[in-house]
């Protein structure tokens, strides 16, 4: 592998491993299988706007592979989906313009079906519908089928538990081997 090739990660709490022990999130587990360090710029709660700011502060360079994960927090907020989609396209365009390659991991649909969430059902349905539309408008790799037994892989209906992070790391590694072998 060319040592000038880097893997950068920008986005939300899936990248930071919210709620799982240090070293047990999917990026740390993925990194164990790679010949280089993954430089993560993930931030809990990050939206497309904050991911854009991350990229402007710490831009990729030619030859970099950029892992992206965001959209859940956007769909919880008031920004119109067209604005989220447009910002996503800007992010993907900026990576390409700088000579990088993108691997956008689409956010999965949450598993929030407990009694506690029933009082928020209208808000949840609105969120889920926005997230479904975001997913349909966004080019990327879709891990939804990995989490068919959703409750098993989530700690709170939204964030992956350790087992979910292990599964996601294996899945992303398979994508790298298949579609981005120069980084493996």
């Amino acid at each position: 592998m060319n040592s000038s090739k880097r893997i950068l990660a920008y986005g939300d709490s899936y990248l930071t491993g919210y709620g799982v022990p240090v070293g047990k999130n999917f990026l740390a587990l993925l990194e164990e299988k790679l010949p280089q360090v993954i430089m993560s710029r993930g931030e809990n709660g990050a939206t497309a706007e904050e991911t854009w700011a991350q990229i402007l502060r710490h831009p990729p360079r030619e030859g970099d592979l950029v892992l992206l994960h965001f959209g859940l927090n956007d769909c919880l907020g008031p920004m119109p989906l067209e604005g989220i989609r447009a910002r996503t396209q800007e992010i993907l365009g900026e990576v390409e313009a700088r000579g990088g390659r993108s691997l956008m991991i689409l956010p999965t649909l949450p598993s929030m079906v407990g009694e506690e969430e029933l009082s928020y059902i209208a808000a949840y349905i609105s969120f889920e519908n926005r997230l479904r539309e975001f997913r349909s408008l966004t080019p990327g790799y879709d891990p939804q089928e990995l989490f068919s037994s959703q409750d098993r892989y989530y700690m709170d209906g939204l964030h992956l538990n350790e087992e979910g992070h292990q599964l996601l790391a294996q899945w992303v590694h398979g994508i790298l081997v298949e579609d981005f072998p120069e980084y493996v």
Side-chain angles (χ1 to χ4, degrees):
M1 188 199 88
N2 183 338
S3 63
S4 66
K5 291 188 183 298
R6 304 181 305 168
I7 299 178
L8 310 175
Y10 301 92
D12 60 22
S13 57
Y14 269 53
L15 303 180
T16 65
Y18 176 86
V20 298
V22 172
K24 298 295 184 180
N25 71 325
F26 93 91
L27 288 180
L29 299 170
L30 177 62
E31 189 177 86
E32 292 174 1
K33 301 172 188 256
L34 301 174
Q36 74 267 32
V37 172
I38 298 173
M39 292 178 272
S40 179
R41 304 293 182 194
E43 297 174 11
N44 291 334
T47 62
E49 286 296 320
E50 290 153 337
T51 301
W52 175 247
Q54 293 168 2
I55 287 174
L56 294 179
R57 280 192 313 271
H58 307 284
R61 62 183 185 214
E62 187 170 343
D64 286 348
L65 175 61
V66 176
L67 302 179
L68 297 161
H69 186 281
F70 57 86
L72 286 168
N73 299 304
D74 296 280
C75 292
L76 286 167
M79 183 181 228
L81 283 172
E82 182 52 39
I84 301 167
R85 190 198 65 74
R87 181 57 81 201
T88 301
Q89 292 304 318
E90 287 179 294
I91 289 167
L92 297 171
E94 182 70 14
V95 171
E96 185 178 336
R98 291 179 176 274
R101 296 180 66 193
S102 297
L103 192 167
M104 175 73 183
I105 302 167
L106 297 177
T108 59
L109 295 171
S111 174
M112 297 180 167
V113 294
E115 286 183 33
E116 296 166 8
E117 290 84 16
L118 290 179
S119 62
Y120 303 105
I121 197 73
Y124 172 74
I125 290 170
S126 173
F127 162 64
E128 186 173 297
N129 287 338
R130 284 173 49 88
L131 185 56
R132 283 182 192 280
E133 188 171 347
F134 172 77
R135 289 168 41 82
S136 74
L137 297 171
T138 305
Y141 292 85
D142 188 355
Q144 188 66 44
E145 287 189 23
L146 287 177
F147 304 109
S148 59
S149 304
Q150 288 193 3
D151 291 341
R152 175 179 169 190
Y153 300 111
Y154 291 90
M155 69 174 76
D156 61 5
L158 191 62
H159 296 97
L160 294 176
N161 60 24
E162 284 185 55
E163 191 176 2
H165 277 277
Q166 290 169 0
L167 187 60
L168 189 58
Q170 292 169 354
W171 181 76
V172 172
H173 185 260
I175 292 169
L176 293 176
V177 167
E178 185 72 25
D179 296 345
F180 303 92
E182 64 273 30
Y183 298 93
V184 180

